[in-house]
Amino acid sequence: MPYFDAASSLPLHPVARQALLASLDEGWADPTRLHREGRRARLLLDAAREAAAEAVGCRPDELSFTSSGTRALHTGIAGALAGRRRAGRRLVVSAVEHSAVLHAAGAHEAGGGTVVTVPVDRTGRVAPADFGAALRGDGGDDGTALACLQAANHEVGTEQPVAEAAELCAAAGVPLLVDAAQSLPWGPVAGGWSLLAASAHKWGGPGGVGLLAVRKGTRFAPPPPLDERESGRAPGFAGLPEIVAAAASLRAVRAAAEAEGARLRALVDRIRARVPELVPDAEVVGDPVRRLPHVVTFSCLYVDGEALLHALDRAGFSVSSGSSCTSDTLAPSHVLRAMGVLSEGNVRVSLPPGTTAEDVESFLAVLPDAVRQVRDRLGAPAVPPRTGPGPRDGGGAEDSGGPKGTGAPSLTVDSLGRRCPIPVIELAKVIDRVPVGGTVVLLADDEAARLDIPAWCAMRGHEYLGADGHEYRVRRLA
Amino acid sequence: MPYFDAASSLPLHPVARQALLASLDEGWADPTRLHREGRRARLLLDAAREAAAEAVGCRPDELSFTSSGTRALHTGIAGALAGRRRAGRRLVVSAVEHSAVLHAAGAHEAGGGTVVTVPVDRTGRVAPADFGAALRGDGGDDGTALACLQAANHEVGTEQPVAEAAELCAAAGVPLLVDAAQSLPWGPVAGGWSLLAASAHKWGGPGGVGLLAVRKGTRFAPPPPLDERESGRAPGFAGLPEIVAAAASLRAVRAAAEAEGARLRALVDRIRARVPELVPDAEVVGDPVRRLPHVVTFSCLYVDGEALLHALDRAGFSVSSGSSCTSDTLAPSHVLRAMGVLSEGNVRVSLPPGTTAEDVESFLAVLPDAVRQVRDRLGAPAVPPRTGPGPRDGGGAEDSGGPKGTGAPSLTVDSLGRRCPIPVIELAKVIDRVPVGGTVVLLADDEAARLDIPAWCAMRGHEYLGADGHEYRVRRLA
């Protein structure tokens, strides 16, 4: 049963399991104690720190084991901001950082700090020039304390220009924190970063283990309360066998990274090429080349992401989705939003090491039917789109006149209260009922509409005239 | 090789190991995901939460799994203080809470809050009347937001009156947070607490797992940054097999708690009775009855705690110590300080389940010689103390006259720069060189002297006249 959600979490790597089991007998004692059990635990911890530091590319005394990647990010950001308090209170982040970074930024803002968000292009990539401009700020007198940039995006796989960002940061005298959660298993982060965070369960280590590296010379004030463990950067008694397993498996995946990365990269290329051929109205997003080897994301017009997830799950494939319907907040993924791409029917496929070509072909074999089923259930427009008026499911109402003062024919569809992808489906169903040049006014209060209606217009070749509150205007062109 | 540091950390319980191994195959996925791997992980987490909640005595939705007991305390205190911000900014803690509580209190104070510390008696116990008075405050207009009281002390084993404290808190409308780290394996915490924290490695669960219970109706604002896991109370991806193991082993130790507690209680009684008989000038501290079943602490005059730890370690016994020489800060344990008892030569014996009477007898057999060795190496006064003047090791200097204006004979000993237990040893060596009624002035800048000189006076029957900076005055009485 293929599991294609590696970017979320991986099964325990055999080396991690072996290391975990081997250290259960000695890894339970408190490594700060002076007795033999404590000393043995300390030896395990020291060895794990050396191994992990080597893989990260830092000194052992620069590396702390935290209780998760999220904690590494929270602590790294808070500690660097506090350590640089005198330099200023401005924090620079990309728009597509992991939510742990954005939530830490939110906490900084709530505490009176400033957050500057650097946009991305449609592939999800930050432009170094934009990053540099954000570092310099707007000429106000608040200096930049810290900048954060992920090594590669967790949802669409796009790599960020971290080495260039690090150079810009060095020139500006600003420390750079790199979230390497997705990239670290594939190789060390290039360039002169100051802080780095990662998460063991992304490479087959256990849950509950993160890494935080703080390079010597980086000002850092560990967030309170005080705790003496891990240089004050990770309060509390950690699971030592888990730390040992995390370090051992990082070395193991690194040893195989080049070959396995090349293999998975080819499989992802196959998915990137075949999905648009197999699934009508599917859009593959993210940078096709500068990307993680194992991640590919696409979205399918007129599809409910959660329903598609369940359909694929029934067919034996586990994937994830950034569609609004799969989120507790009913908002589409902030990554897709920042990229300005379609969010409905979104699927992230992230291949674990060992995925075979047969697994991928099986997935490609079941995907079209899974999408079709969901579209059929939703009464989505047939593909290719009908040229004449279709049956009415929505609340479409023909207006006698066009928008005020224009005189052009217009039609209003009321999708208020309907969730993604219904508003877009209703729009698609009525577009042919206005003549070319005519306008459809769509009323929709679903948050995904903001993203998906412009995306639909771009895919269908109609003109998106903009939104006024919940009122979207689309001009039929084709 | 007997390990007598159970209160620090316990080896993995067989049930924990079994549960850990059994859940490695399913416990790696993200329990918030919708796919089958996520759902299976979720089932494990839900079952663990139910089991742990039952043992704690709360509802499953009141219980969060944190990454450590320390994190549970930090988050519990910060969240309750923030939730009760409008009620006031006063935090009440006992003087003998775990350092995690005191550090959280320190962070609160640094942020502008007020901390009221309730003293303890010589057994380490808080008087309910003092606790009640602290809740009411000094009539100022800052209300009490939260009170913290441990169920039992981690260093001396003394139980606190938590049920009475909870009643006082309820009457005052103040939530009570109970640190149950040491007591939870032995039974649920009595009384109407509002928040409870515990730590799995104290009962043979894995490291890296803590519990935080927040009873319904308790105002609580999770400390930022925001995170959706565990009701916002434990950011990051946790080790699920470890959580399962923690819950399973808590049930297992609870099932055996009554019988094992009674057995260990008798062994501790034996140690409490025999140590003063076997070791001259040893003081057993903590409440002899209202105590944890497995913990006993004693201190030995003229003994270097670290040297004693090493001597016992060489003899095959692992214990811990609250002596200043075993601490990074070179300060004696805040618990011993709050109790006002001797801190030098301090040993905490905490028996793991399964400890045999033979283990205890072996310990009692080696202890006297271990103490003697350390005393001999330090040139400690012979026991019973010599009646005539002994050889001079210290910087003693006979003064021609007594302290200004008194006319009584006096002698000054300079122990500046010497570490515990040397100042007390030097004092003991010269006391007989002044006549009864005469005074010794001891110059000492070691922090332990503040505690150990008065304690020595009480043990030896001399009068402690007080300290002025680094100058201690002792009047010879016997």
Side-chain angles (χ1 to χ4, degrees), chain A residues 187-211:
Chain A
V189 172
W193 50 267
S194 297
L195 302 103
L196 181 146
S199 173
H201 73 111
K202 305 290 189 190
W203 64 69
V209 182
L211 304 181

Side-chain angles (χ1 to χ4, degrees), chain A residues 1-3 5 8-12 17 20-21 24-25 28-30 33-37 39 67-68 70-71 74-75 103-104 107 201 207-208 224-227 234-239 242 306 309-310 313 316-320 326 348, chain B residues 1-3 5 8-12 17 20-21 24-25 28-30 33-37 39 67-68 70-71 74-75 103-104 107 201 207-208 224-227 234-239 242 306 309-310 313 316-320 326 348:
Chain A
M1 302 279 277
Y3 169 79
D5 196 17
S8 161
S9 192
L10 275 179
L12 209 55
R17 180 185 293 251
L20 183 74
L21 298 185
L24 286 179
D25 285 336
W28 54 269
D30 186 338
R33 295 286 173 187
L34 301 173
H35 46 58
R36 63 182 177 280
E37 290 84 358
R39 294 192 304 269
S67 63
S68 63
T70 294
R71 284 288 196 189
H74 288 179
T75 300
H103 287 150
H201 73 111
L226 190 75
D227 190 89
F237 188 95
E242 288 73 22
E306 184 169 2
L309 239 58
H310 288 310
D313 184 56
F317 294 90
S318 299
V319 298
S320 75
T326 62
R348 177 186 71 183
Chain B
M1 301 281 277
Y3 171 80
D5 196 17
S8 160
S9 192
L10 275 179
L12 209 55
R17 179 185 295 251
L20 183 73
L21 298 186
L24 286 179
D25 285 337
W28 54 269
D30 186 338
R33 295 286 172 188
L34 301 173
H35 45 58
R36 64 184 177 279
E37 290 84 359
R39 293 193 305 268
S67 62
S68 64
T70 294
R71 282 288 196 190
H74 289 179
T75 301
H103 288 150
H201 74 110
L226 190 75
D227 191 89
F237 187 95
E242 288 73 22
E306 183 170 2
L309 238 59
H310 288 309
D313 184 55
F317 293 90
S318 300
V319 297
S320 76
T326 62
R348 178 185 70 184

Side-chain angles (χ1 to χ4, degrees), chain B residues 10-19 203-206 245 248-250 252-254 256 353:
Chain B
L10 275 179
L12 209 55
H13 191 286
V15 168
R17 179 185 295 251
Q18 202 177 8
W203 66 71
S249 52
L250 180 55
V253 299
R254 274 294 185 75

Side-chain angles (χ1 to χ4, degrees), chain B residues 212-230:
Chain B
L212 173 61
V214 182
R215 284 239 167 95
K216 288 285 161 202
T218 306
R219 286 188 190 278
F220 194 88
L226 190 75
D227 191 89
E228 73 281 2
R229 294 183 196 272
E230 295 293 312

Side-chain angles (χ1 to χ4, degrees), chain A residues 109-350:
Chain A
E109 214 160 21
T114 308
V115 176
V116 178
T117 304
V118 183
V120 294
D121 63 19
R122 273 187 70 88
T123 71
R125 190 171 164 97
V126 159
D130 292 344
F131 205 77
L135 291 176
R136 287 189 300 274
D138 51 8
D141 53 8
D142 196 12
T144 301
L146 175 69
C148 300
L149 185 61
Q150 62 194 187
N153 186 267
H154 51 296
E155 285 190 35
V156 300
T158 299
E159 286 176 350
Q160 302 295 351
V162 281
E164 287 151 280
E167 276 179 35
L168 292 165
C169 281
V174 173
L176 176 68
L177 183 150
V178 175
D179 174 6
Q182 293 295 341
S183 76
L184 198 66
W186 302 106
V189 172
W193 50 267
S194 297
L195 302 103
L196 181 146
S199 173
H201 73 111
K202 305 290 189 190
W203 64 69
V209 182
L211 304 181
L212 172 62
V214 181
R215 283 238 168 98
K216 289 286 160 201
T218 306
R219 286 187 191 278
F220 194 87
L226 190 75
D227 190 89
E228 73 281 4
R229 295 182 195 273
E230 295 294 312
S231 314
R233 293 167 192 168
F237 188 95
L240 231 158
E242 288 73 22
I243 286 173
V244 172
S249 52
L250 180 55
R251 284 170 72 110
V253 299
R254 274 294 186 75
E258 199 178 342
E260 189 62 17
R263 219 178 55 75
L264 294 182
R265 180 171 287 276
L267 295 179
V268 163
D269 280 340
R270 169 85 179 150
I271 297 173
R272 293 187 70 95
R274 287 297 285 153
V275 163
E277 296 166 3
L278 292 167
V279 180
D281 290 323
E283 185 182 27
V284 179
V285 299
D287 195 296
V289 178
R290 293 178 296 189
R291 61 168 174 84
L292 291 167
H294 65 309
V295 175
V296 53
T297 299
F298 55 87
S299 297
C300 307
L301 213 52
Y302 314 138
V303 167
D304 171 321
E306 184 169 2
L308 181 55
L309 239 58
H310 288 310
L312 290 171
D313 184 56
R314 279 190 302 274
F317 294 90
S318 299
V319 298
S320 75
S321 170
S323 292
S324 56
C325 48
T326 62
S327 141
D328 287 344
T329 57
L330 293 176
S333 134
H334 70 273
V335 173
L336 301 177
R337 252 182 309 181
M339 294 164 65
V341 296
L342 187 70
S343 80
E344 64 189 35
N346 180 257
V347 170
R348 177 186 71 183
V349 171
S350 49

Side-chain angles (χ1 to χ4, degrees), chain B residues 371-389:
Chain B
V371 171
R372 193 158 35 234
Q373 280 172 29
V374 175
R375 282 177 174 164
D376 286 351
R377 254 203 315 280
L378 290 169
V383 173
R386 284 179 296 266
T387 47

